[in-house]
């Protein structure tokens, strides 16, 4: 959806650009809220001699789940027709969609330039409706257990492309939580992610019910800490030992764990909200009793909460830990005073569809019930 302008974003510009040029070589880094769509809608409205408030009207309809311009009954009917013919209603087209019996819906979209983007809607018995959103098409990082990390990096998504994932699901259901745990590293596209976050409350998702997950991209963690929006920070940690973490997540060499933990602690000091640590459980790799103790040693229970993630096999050569091993790991963390939960797996019965949705792309089928619940607290 085209986004109406909401004043200059000088605050973020002043906070400094991402220092990610080397990793992002070849990526589109410039687009922020000024997406192609916005320019198209704004220029079309100007060309038609329409008043400035029109683009705000269009956005309010879209944010409430309108399926197209034709539903926007407070716009003159000729204008609705003209816009329908001139401005694409979404920057994304739906390529595939899969529905699980537990209410999970996974969508594979395609951008105007042919890039794959995935997003998931999870519905819970207690009524929560949570979205898992992508920030990039593919990912420039190369975490060895992650299917997105193994596919070719495309580019950063624009704010419109991020919001259009949410708007797609908003058209079928009210939504109230969002996590940036789909494709990509949100901190490497933080301008666009935050621009999208600013709009999420219009769709029904407050900042407190929004979580951004990162591999530990320190400049992004610092910027999020300084941002006034009370967004939850989640850290993908996966190994307390530096050598093992570098093996699993090569980016650890760039941002060593002690520095990442310090940045997360500073985030806690600013926001007073616990940082959620994600820890994917890999059999015989990071799931031993000693590794639980090591993890507990580096995390302050007042500032961190751990969410253990059952591994979703991707053909990477890793095997997921057994439920017994996961429970023992959790018990050891709890015995040492850390809050620890095990992520519920959603959408199991549509796992098979993942391959159909995007040839090599991982779909976030195991997005956290616990994470999402926590994002609300
Ligand atoms: N780049 C960000 C956000 C996207 S990934 C980050 O890494 O935090 C969201 C979470 O899913 C991360 O914790 C990631 O490690 C985890 N993940 C990746 N592949 C997985 C898999 N095959 N099974 C379970 N979790 C996985």
């Amino acid at each position: 959806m085209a986004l109406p302008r909401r004043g200059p974003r000088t605050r973020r510009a002043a906070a400094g650009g991402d220092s990610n040029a080397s990793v992002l070589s070849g990526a589109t880094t410039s687009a922020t809220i000024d997406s192609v769509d916005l320019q198209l809608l704004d220029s079309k409205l100007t060309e038609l001699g329409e008043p400035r408030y029109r683009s705000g009207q269009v956005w309010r309809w879209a944010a409430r789940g309108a399926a197209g311009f034709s539903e926007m009954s407070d716009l003159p009917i000729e204008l609705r027709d003209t816009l329908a013919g001139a401005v694409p209603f979404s920057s994304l087209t739906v390529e595939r969609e899969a529905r699980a019996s537990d209410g999970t819906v996974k969508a594979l979209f395609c951008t105007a330039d042919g890039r794959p983007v995935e997003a998931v809607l999870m519905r819970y018995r207690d009524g929560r409706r949570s979205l898992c959103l992508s920030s990039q098409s593919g990912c420039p990082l190369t975490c060895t257990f992650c299917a997105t990390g193994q596919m070719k990096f495309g580019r950063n998504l624009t704010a419109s492309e991020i919001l259009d994932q949410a708007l797609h699901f908003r058209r079928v259901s009210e939504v109230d939580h969002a996590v940036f745990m789909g494709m990509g590293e949100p901190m490497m596209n933080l301008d666009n992610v935050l621009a999208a976050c600013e709009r999420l409350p219009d769709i029904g998702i407050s900042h407190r019910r929004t979580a951004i997950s990162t591999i530990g991209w320190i400049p992004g963690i610092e910027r999020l800490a300084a941002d006034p929006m009370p967004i939850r920070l989640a850290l993908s940690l996966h190994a307390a030992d530096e050598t093992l973490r570098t093996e699993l997540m090569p980016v650890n060499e760039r941002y060593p764990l002690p520095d990442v933990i310090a940045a997360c602690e500073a985030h806690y000091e600013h926001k007073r909200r616990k940082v959620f640590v994600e820890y994917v459980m890999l059999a015989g790799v990071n799931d031993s009793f000693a590794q639980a103790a090591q993890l507990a040693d580096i995390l302050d229970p007042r500032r961190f909460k751990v969410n253990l993630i059952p591994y979703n096999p991707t053909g990477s050569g890793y095997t997921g830990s057994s439920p017994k091993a996961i429970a023992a790991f959790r018990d050891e963390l709890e015995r040492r005073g850390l809050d620890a939960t095990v992520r519920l797996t959603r959408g199991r019965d549509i796992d098979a569809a993942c391959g159909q949705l995007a040839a090599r792309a991982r779909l976030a089928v195991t997005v956290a019930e616990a994470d999402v619940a926590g994002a609300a607290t």
Side-chain angles (χ1 to χ4, degrees):
M1 167 43 50
L3 299 175
R5 218 172 277 273
R6 255 192 202 167
R9 300 180 56 76
T10 44
R11 174 169 49 82
R12 286 201 183 104
D18 288 348
S19 56
N20 55 13
S22 61
V23 186
L24 271 179
S25 54
T28 305
T29 54
S30 58
T32 58
I33 203 154
D34 297 316
S35 66
V36 175
D37 290 347
L38 169 70
Q39 285 160 359
L40 195 59
L41 178 70
D42 274 355
S43 67
K44 195 72 207 168
L45 290 170
T46 310
E47 186 191 313
L48 296 168
E50 289 292 332
R52 286 192 66 84
Y53 61 79
R54 286 284 184 232
S55 66
Q57 272 179 309
V58 170
W59 166 250
R60 280 190 294 281
W61 276 101
R64 291 196 308 258
F69 293 107
S70 60
E71 288 179 23
M72 302 182 180
S73 54
D74 55 359
L75 258 57
I77 199 149
E78 315 78 61
L79 179 60
R80 287 180 242 166
D81 289 348
T82 311
L83 290 178
V87 181
F89 194 63
S90 176
S91 58
L92 303 173
T93 49
V94 180
E95 293 276 294
R96 296 275 168 80
E97 209 160 42
R99 280 157 209 282
S101 54
D102 63 14
T104 303
V105 185
K106 301 189 284 186
L108 172 68
F109 305 95
C110 187
T111 63
D113 60 342
R115 313 282 185 175
V117 175
E118 298 167 342
V120 185
L121 164 70
M122 287 151 294
R123 300 181 233 227
Y124 295 95
R125 284 208 192 98
D126 64 8
R128 275 177 302 127
R129 303 278 184 270
S130 180
L131 299 177
C132 178
L133 303 175
S134 293
S135 55
Q136 299 179 314
S137 176
C139 185
L141 304 176
T142 52
C143 302
T144 50
F145 54 86
C146 176
T148 307
Q150 306 311 307
M151 71 188 270
K152 200 168 155 277
F153 175 56
R155 62 167 172 79
N156 281 342
L157 299 180
T158 65
S160 289
E161 287 165 339
I162 294 169
L163 279 172
D164 278 332
Q165 299 166 50
L167 290 178
H168 169 75
F169 291 117
R170 176 64 187 83
R171 291 197 269 280
V172 291
S173 164
E174 293 199 355
V175 288
D176 50 26
H177 288 74
V179 291
F180 281 87
M181 294 183 189
M183 295 166 105
E185 169 52 40
M187 296 302 190
M188 296 176 78
N189 186 20
L190 198 52
D191 279 330
N192 289 334
V193 167
L194 292 180
C197 287
E198 283 192 350
R199 309 282 163 159
L200 288 178
D202 298 341
I203 300 177
I205 302 166
S206 69
H207 300 319
R208 302 189 75 80
R209 290 174 166 187
T210 302
I212 297 180
S213 176
T214 178
I215 46 73
W217 194 268
I218 292 176
I221 296 172
E222 290 171 349
R223 286 186 56 201
L224 188 63
D227 194 281
M229 289 187 276
I231 293 170
R232 167 86 65 193
L233 172 65
L235 170 68
S236 293
L237 201 153
H238 307 321
D241 174 76
E242 289 277 7
T243 312
L244 176 59
R245 190 165 192 264
T246 301
E247 220 173 88
L248 298 174
M249 310 171 73
V251 72
N252 186 62
E253 250 170 359
R254 180 168 179 155
Y255 296 119
L257 195 50
D259 300 349
V260 172
I261 298 287
C264 290
E265 289 180 343
H267 187 278
Y268 174 84
E269 296 309 324
H270 273 91
K271 299 287 175 83
R272 295 277 155 187
R273 300 191 74 205
K274 277 191 182 182
V275 176
F276 285 0
V277 166
E278 294 153 274
Y279 194 99
V280 64
M281 297 294 291
L282 304 169
V285 176
N286 66 353
D287 64 347
S288 75
F289 189 80
Q291 284 162 321
Q294 205 183 353
L295 181 62
D297 277 348
I298 62 166
L299 297 177
D300 174 351
R302 285 168 304 154
R303 293 164 165 153
F304 295 94
K305 172 188 153 101
V306 179
N307 196 219
L308 301 175
I309 313 175
Y311 183 58
N312 179 33
T314 62
S316 60
Y318 294 104
T319 313
S321 306
S322 67
K324 209 173 141 205
I326 297 177
F329 199 95
R330 185 203 52 215
D331 291 349
E332 181 58 11
L333 294 179
E334 296 225 300
R335 203 180 64 76
R336 289 166 174 268
L338 265 177
D339 254 0
T341 49
V342 180
R343 177 175 292 187
L344 287 190
T345 302
R346 307 288 299 179
R348 252 260 140 106
D349 54 332
I350 48 173
D351 273 6
C354 290
Q356 298 160 9
L357 290 175
R360 303 227 28 228
R362 172 185 67 87
L363 260 181
V365 291
T366 57
V367 175
E369 173 143 342
D371 277 359
V372 173
T377 58

